[in-house]
Amino acid sequence: MNDKKQVGQLIQDLRKIAEMTTVELSKGICTEEELHRFEQGEIHASSEVLYHLSKRLGVPMNYFFEAGELTPNDYSKEIKSTIRHYIRKRDYETVLHMVNKEKDNPMFQDPFHAQFFLWHEAICDYYIGNKFEQALRKLEKAIAFTRTSEQFYSEKEIAILNSIAIIYEEEGHLKKAFSTFMEGLQHIALLPKLKDPLVKIRILYGLSRALLQMERYEKSVKYAQAGLELCIQHETLYLLGELHYQIGEALCQLGELKEGIAYLEKAITVFEIEQNEAFVTIIKEEMSKYQETKKKS
């Protein structure tokens, strides 16, 4: 049983022992629906919510950590992993909700946690509030939280730099995006060891995207291929579909329709596995146009 289910089951058991309804336990703490989802192990209760539930149920808060074998470090990893999951799904409303619930948690007041929450708050500022300059200021501030060297960036700082590059790209500042992605790649080369290969995969994907929009198709293929090789090397599906799409699109733009369409078909297969129907639809529409062009030629 995973930690969410163990803690959820404990909440439910304690509630029943106390002969409380879900309405009674949740009142003033969370919604009844949220409590139901906590008890079913579908979502994590924030530390603040667990505190108030523990008070109402008459047990110390660490009772939940001990029963679920969930240490504060485990809880931190779960929260950050969940936030990154929703970033991947582009569900920025949920990300902002989680950030706002957790950023003032006493457990997370060190510079590294503060940096993580400010980073994701900035991303939400841009995608929800369309606050370009505010988002950039927060991202630069997030990097400054842990900067110890003018020459070297940590992996987390490089990841935040990647977010800055993405926002420049979204705004159409392609040259600035490209130079920022390249800066990130150069900092990766200076690291003695890269612990998280996804950081490099994200930057290679970003470079490929920017170059595709700049109509530098051969270079776009080069960086996407490098990202694809990393995905295969580390046995990850992360950005695998997107990288196949980048290569396929660039090759089609170069007139290499047969090979390009083959890559687009592989991208569709990956997105079908991931149940990403929106991307499947978009690529099928793109592919049909190239197939028509191929027939005419």
Side-chain angles (χ1 to χ4, degrees):
M1 187 184 293
N2 65 32
D3 291 325
K4 283 189 290 188
K5 286 194 175 292
Q6 285 178 316
V7 173
Q9 185 63 57
L10 182 60
I11 293 170
Q12 186 179 77
D13 290 345
L14 290 169
R15 177 176 61 78
K16 289 180 177 178
I17 290 170
E19 298 182 353
M20 297 173 69
T21 66
T22 53
V23 173
E24 290 169 331
L25 180 55
S26 63
K27 187 176 180 181
I29 299 175
C30 58
T31 67
E32 187 180 3
E33 180 186 355
E34 284 176 326
L35 178 60
H36 175 74
R37 295 184 70 191
F38 296 151
E39 290 188 347
Q40 296 304 307
E42 294 177 8
I43 58 173
H44 272 296
S46 70
S47 56
E48 181 183 359
V49 167
L50 283 177
Y51 170 75
H52 290 295
L53 289 176
S54 68
K55 294 287 283 185
R56 190 161 292 174
L57 291 166
V59 295
M61 183 177 169
N62 64 2
Y63 191 69
F64 293 116
F65 291 128
E66 292 168 358
E69 297 180 350
L70 185 66
T71 67
N73 186 49
D74 290 332
Y75 182 72
S76 168
K77 288 179 180 177
E78 285 282 350
I79 290 296
K80 289 190 283 189
S81 174
T82 303
I83 286 173
R84 291 305 302 170
H85 167 74
Y86 284 114
I87 285 286
R88 170 83 169 121
K89 292 175 74 69
R90 297 170 173 81
D91 186 351
Y92 302 110
E93 297 286 352
T94 299
V95 171
L96 184 60
H97 177 71
M98 291 187 69
V99 167
N100 286 337
K101 289 185 79 170
E102 298 291 348
K103 67 180 181 179
D104 294 325
N105 183 335
M107 191 189 300
F108 300 145
Q109 297 311 299
D110 61 277
F112 298 100
H113 282 101
Q115 178 186 64
F116 180 85
F117 288 118
L118 185 62
W119 171 23
H120 291 86
E121 184 179 286
I123 292 172
C124 294
D125 279 350
Y126 180 72
Y127 286 104
I128 297 174
N130 198 28
K131 299 173 182 175
F132 169 63
E133 292 183 358
Q134 179 173 303
L136 286 184
R137 284 196 300 271
K138 286 186 178 180
L139 289 169
E140 288 164 359
K141 183 179 178 182
I143 289 176
F145 265 128
T146 55
R147 293 292 287 121
T148 57
S149 168
E150 291 298 318
Q151 295 180 322
F152 302 103
Y153 274 55
S154 69
E155 284 188 32
K156 187 61 61 63
E157 290 160 0
I158 294 168
I160 298 170
L161 195 63
N162 182 67
S163 294
I164 291 173
I166 289 170
I167 289 176
Y168 278 128
E169 183 202 341
E170 295 274 21
E171 287 292 303
H173 304 314
L174 298 179
K175 289 184 178 179
K176 185 65 176 174
F178 174 76
S179 65
T180 307
F181 282 128
M182 284 302 298
E183 184 183 352
L185 196 60
Q186 289 159 4
H187 282 299
I188 285 175
L190 294 174
L191 291 172
K193 183 179 180 181
L194 184 64
K195 296 178 183 177
D196 182 5
L198 302 189
V199 174
K200 188 172 183 179
I201 292 171
R202 283 198 291 270
I203 287 184
L204 291 169
Y205 171 62
L207 278 166
S208 178
R209 277 176 53 108
L211 288 162
L212 184 67
Q213 293 176 76
M214 295 165 75
E215 300 183 358
R216 296 170 63 183
Y217 303 123
E218 293 91 347
K219 288 284 188 182
S220 178
V221 170
K222 173 188 171 182
Y223 286 112
Q225 285 282 17
L228 200 57
E229 288 170 11
L230 274 179
C231 288
I232 293 167
Q233 179 185 339
H234 294 282
E235 300 179 344
T236 178
L237 284 174
Y238 183 74
L239 292 178
L240 189 68
E242 287 90 338
L243 289 162
H244 275 98
Y245 171 75
Q246 288 297 124
I247 296 170
E249 184 69 21
L251 288 172
C252 287
Q253 291 294 333
L254 287 167
E256 299 176 29
L257 294 177
K258 183 178 178 180
E259 191 177 356
I261 289 169
Y263 272 98
L264 293 178
E265 288 173 341
K266 289 177 183 178
I268 288 171
T269 300
V270 175
F271 288 128
E272 284 177 338
I273 291 169
E274 294 179 338
Q275 298 182 335
N276 192 331
E277 294 304 321
F279 276 23
V280 169
T281 301
I282 291 168
I283 298 172
K284 281 184 176 179
E285 289 175 358
E286 284 286 311
M287 194 167 67
S288 66
K289 294 175 186 175
Y290 291 126
Q291 287 170 333
E292 282 299 315
T293 303
K294 185 182 174 187
K295 286 178 185 177
K296 291 176 182 177
S297 63

